[in-house]
Amino acid sequence: MKFLLILTWFFIQVVTNQFNQSNEFQEQNQIIMDCNFTFEKATDGLEIPSSIIKQLVLVDVEYYSFDEKLHKGQIVINKKASKDIKAIFEFIKEVRFPIAKVIPISKYKWNDEASMNDNNTASFNYRKIEGTKVLSAHSYGMAIDINPLQNPHIKGKVVQPPSAKYDPKAKGTILRDLKLVNEFVKRGWQWGGRWRSSQDYQHFEKKN
């Protein structure tokens, strides 16, 4: 009798493992590829100082998009922030927080507005803060903008991107009490949604 119980237990374990492996295999084969750049392509088309290039890395990330399907994208990020971003995207995937797409801004010829209008989540872009001569945290790969159409930058009556709308009830919107915000904050990142002069709901940055 004891032998039969052990044999039954063993059989259940084998079947369960095979089932899990089958599901993992199917999931991997069902991933929608949003981006498959090389590092060179992801940083091409812009004059970037070599000192900055050396700080960057191209990271593959997986996320569920608004179609509720698993997608794979890529993000150019500072090496110092890559561990954080990998962990945060694991959280994003686990809780199925919808991300429209994650593609390096080189696809948009380094046009931040074009990337935002496409609801693209991205990090590195060697550019100055609009209206200033100061390099943005994005220039060092130490900032990330998430779902710009759901999470615009609002300063007074100016909304960026202009077609965006901040609706707390909409999917993909970042809220003050959202666990995603805490995932960033506990790793030393700041959220633009808590700024006083303006609210940049899409924006997270970490001091270099």
Side-chain angles (χ1 to χ4, degrees), residues 4-165:
L4 286 174
L5 288 173
I6 293 174
L7 188 62
T8 301
W9 177 87
F10 179 76
F11 176 76
I12 291 173
Q13 293 300 311
V14 171
V15 172
T16 300
N17 287 336
Q18 289 179 340
F19 178 77
N20 290 336
Q21 290 174 5
S22 176
N23 280 348
E24 289 175 4
F25 179 77
Q26 290 177 11
E27 185 179 68
Q28 290 298 322
N29 282 324
Q30 291 173 356
I31 294 179
I32 297 172
M33 188 73 70
D34 288 340
C35 183
N36 191 27
F37 285 1
T38 62
F39 179 80
E40 288 71 22
K41 184 174 182 179
T43 54
D44 186 40
L46 185 68
E47 192 172 325
I48 306 168
S50 59
S51 59
I52 297 291
I53 287 287
K54 292 176 181 178
Q55 298 179 44
L56 305 175
V57 65
L58 181 64
V59 174
D60 292 345
V61 292
E62 294 180 0
Y63 44 91
Y64 286 90
S65 192
F66 289 89
D67 58 8
E68 299 184 354
K69 296 179 180 179
L70 187 62
H71 289 239
K72 182 177 180 179
Q74 294 176 302
I75 187 165
V76 178
I77 194 81
N78 194 293
K79 292 175 182 177
K80 294 179 181 178
S82 62
K83 184 178 179 180
D84 290 349
I85 290 302
K86 288 177 183 178
I88 289 167
F89 267 92
E90 283 296 324
F91 173 81
I92 285 172
K93 179 182 176 183
E94 180 183 346
V95 300
R96 296 199 176 204
F97 178 83
I99 301 289
K101 58 178 67 70
V102 186
I103 303 173
I105 298 184
S106 61
K107 176 189 176 181
Y108 304 90
K109 302 184 185 302
W110 302 101
N111 187 311
D112 187 53
E113 186 174 344
S115 177
M116 287 193 298
N117 285 332
D118 198 32
N119 210 18
N120 182 49
T121 293
S123 173
F124 175 74
N125 189 359
Y126 191 71
R127 62 177 177 81
K128 295 174 182 177
I129 298 173
E130 188 174 353
T132 76
K133 296 182 178 181
V134 180
L135 286 176
S136 164
H138 288 283
S139 295
Y140 303 97
M142 295 298 292
I144 181 172
D145 291 339
I146 298 176
N147 290 346
L149 291 183
Q150 284 74 39
N151 305 287
H153 182 191
I154 302 174
K155 187 172 185 178
K157 294 182 179 180
V158 179
V159 179
Q160 290 290 339
S163 59
K165 180 181 179 181

Side-chain angles (χ1 to χ4, degrees), residues 148-207:
L149 291 183
Q150 284 74 39
N151 305 287
H153 182 191
I154 302 174
K155 187 172 185 178
K157 294 182 179 180
V158 179
V159 179
Q160 290 290 339
S163 59
K165 180 181 179 181
Y166 187 71
D167 180 359
K169 296 181 180 179
K171 291 173 60 177
T173 301
I174 301 172
L175 308 175
R176 181 176 293 271
D177 59 352
L178 199 68
K179 288 184 178 180
L180 175 57
V181 174
N182 186 55
E183 288 297 314
F184 276 99
V185 171
K186 74 182 185 181
R187 292 178 171 86
W189 293 68
Q190 298 177 2
W191 178 45
R194 291 177 175 165
W195 291 352
R196 292 183 179 181
S197 59
S198 66
Q199 286 71 53
D200 197 351
Y201 294 107
Q202 66 193 266
H203 184 85
F204 292 90
E205 69 174 72
K206 189 173 187 178
K207 297 301 180 183

